[in-house]
Amino acid sequence: GDWSSDVCSSDLRAKLTVRETSFDTRDAFLRGSFRSLRPGGRLGLTDLVRAKEAGWLSTCLLRVVCFVSKVPWTNMVHEDEYVARLRRAGFADIEVEDVSARVFAPLATWIRDRDRMYGRAFGSEWGGLMGFARVLEWWSRGSVAFVVVSATKPAATKRSF
């Protein structure tokens, strides 16, 4: 992957810059993040997870969106599997918050408002965004969740001899 890290002198925080396309799977990204953090370091990110209650049609449509977007289907897991993958990578103190209601519909509304305001001036540039707005509206109905994730690389434990 394409990694750079800037660790604060206090070793309490780390900033990772990652090119998402460098990783074929979320597991590879999580393992790389874990290796790059110092003990006690925190990982913070946003991601998409599949809803457990998504029906077969939503699942099929999501597969198409992933294919078109070049997102590996193996990355689209349910929240509990996402947490399990973080644990397998070695992370602890895992928190996942679903913020979909504050992201999908408001962003779709913002895109539609901008299209009404500037669409004629910018023409086809807004066409692709309008398609994305439709995807966001579909996701807002519950097939996908937008989550904020945080996890900690455990501090090194002292061995007793």
Side-chain angles (χ1 to χ4, degrees), residues 14-72:
K15 178 185 81 178
L16 297 174
T17 304
V18 181
R19 233 181 48 221
E20 176 69 28
T21 56
S22 303
F23 299 95
D24 289 336
T25 66
R26 186 72 65 244
D27 291 329
F29 168 77
L30 295 174
R31 286 191 306 271
S33 298
F34 187 83
R35 280 191 311 271
S36 295
L37 287 171
R38 292 187 182 188
R42 297 220 20 108
L43 172 69
L45 57 92
T46 59
D47 212 338
L48 298 173
V49 295
R50 282 192 301 153
K52 282 191 174 184
E53 63 276 358
W56 68 269
L57 181 58
S58 285
T59 301
C60 290
L61 289 172
L62 184 56
R63 281 183 172 268
V64 170
V65 168
C66 286
F67 177 77
V68 170
S69 305
K70 298 183 179 162
V71 172

Side-chain angles (χ1 to χ4, degrees), residues 104-119 126-127 129-138 141:
F104 293 147
L107 182 53
T109 299
W110 184 88
I111 292 170
R112 288 191 184 286
D113 289 347
R114 293 315 169 277
D115 180 59
R116 280 190 291 280
M117 291 168 39
Y118 307 116
W126 282 100
L129 286 175
M130 292 306 294
F132 183 55
R134 284 190 285 282
V135 170
L136 290 169
E137 289 164 346
W138 166 52
R141 293 190 291 274

Side-chain angles (χ1 to χ4, degrees), residues 6 10 13 15 17 42 47 51 54 62 93 96 125 140 144-145:
D6 174 20
S10 66
R13 293 183 266 201
K15 178 185 81 178
T17 304
R42 297 220 20 108
D47 212 338
L62 184 56
D93 302 323
V96 179
E125 290 182 29
S140 72
V144 175

Side-chain angles (χ1 to χ4, degrees), residues 66-125:
C66 286
F67 177 77
V68 170
S69 305
K70 298 183 179 162
V71 172
W73 179 248
T74 57
N75 288 349
M76 293 303 300
V77 297
H78 302 292
E79 183 179 323
D80 55 349
E81 175 58 23
Y82 200 101
V83 170
R85 289 177 179 201
L86 284 160
R87 279 194 187 16
R88 283 194 300 271
F91 287 101
D93 302 323
I94 299 164
E95 297 177 31
V96 179
E97 181 182 356
D98 182 349
V99 295
S100 303
R102 294 179 291 194
V103 175
F104 293 147
L107 182 53
T109 299
W110 184 88
I111 292 170
R112 288 191 184 286
D113 289 347
R114 293 315 169 277
D115 180 59
R116 280 190 291 280
M117 291 168 39
Y118 307 116
R120 289 194 174 103
F122 294 105
S124 64
E125 290 182 29

